[in-house]
Amino acid sequence: HNPKYRQLHLQALLLDGQLAEVERTLKTWRKSEPLNPDLMFLEAQHLLLKRQYAKAETLGRQALAIQDSEPRNLLLVQLLYIQGKYARALEGSESLIQQQPWRWEIVHLHARTLARGGRAEPAKTLGERFLFRQDSQGQAHLLLGDLHREAGEQAAAEQFYQTGVERFPEHTA
């Protein structure tokens, strides 16, 4: 099989939650290509889904050492955030946001990381930039609602939640 096709197939299996199949395939494939950063990235994603965060972080760092890329950096920042390593996550998210200041996934992670690091006001300002952008699909409202709720500002939080539901009803659960 074509290696890119195999990688895409593994990615699809990951998204479908077929972790056992992904694990079997990766184990075999990684033996033949132990330093393939794309496979290392997929395995780190697999470990993330299995909640093996420290192992995923180690593998993600190894993949980055071989070949730098935005998706690998984003995964590493997510792993650091999940593990509560907010200072290190903030370093990575600041770098990502300088490269992609309008990519919602990065903005969202950076704002959450700022807030966890005790910088809620800059996090709110960042989220406010996306209130009227379609690409956030109401997630900016959710983010701002959460940030205000965490700051004890319940009325403001409820207003953001309500506005998000009204503006983006198709994206509410």
Side-chain angles (χ1 to χ4, degrees), residues 58-123:
T58 299
L59 196 57
R61 287 185 186 283
Q62 291 170 348
L64 275 167
I66 294 168
Q67 185 179 43
D68 193 13
S69 76
E70 181 188 300
R72 292 183 194 118
N73 278 297
L74 181 58
L75 178 65
L76 180 60
V77 172
Q78 291 168 332
L79 287 162
L80 292 167
Y81 180 90
I82 288 168
Q83 295 176 88
K85 299 176 182 179
Y86 302 124
R88 293 201 336 229
L90 189 57
E91 290 174 17
S93 69
E94 284 175 344
S95 175
L96 286 169
I97 199 131
Q98 287 174 4
Q99 297 166 27
Q100 296 276 345
W102 294 106
R103 184 168 164 208
W104 171 247
E105 186 178 21
I106 291 170
V107 169
H108 182 252
L109 180 58
H110 185 59
R112 292 265 183 208
T113 306
L114 282 168
R116 290 289 183 257
R119 297 171 55 196
E121 290 310 312

Side-chain angles (χ1 to χ4, degrees), residues 1-2 15 35 41 52 57 59 62 64 98 119 130 154:
H1 283 98
N2 177 324
L15 291 172
L35 297 179
F41 174 70
Q52 295 179 11
E57 178 187 345
L59 196 57
Q62 291 170 348
L64 275 167
Q98 287 174 4
R119 297 171 55 196
F130 279 78
Q154 193 61 34

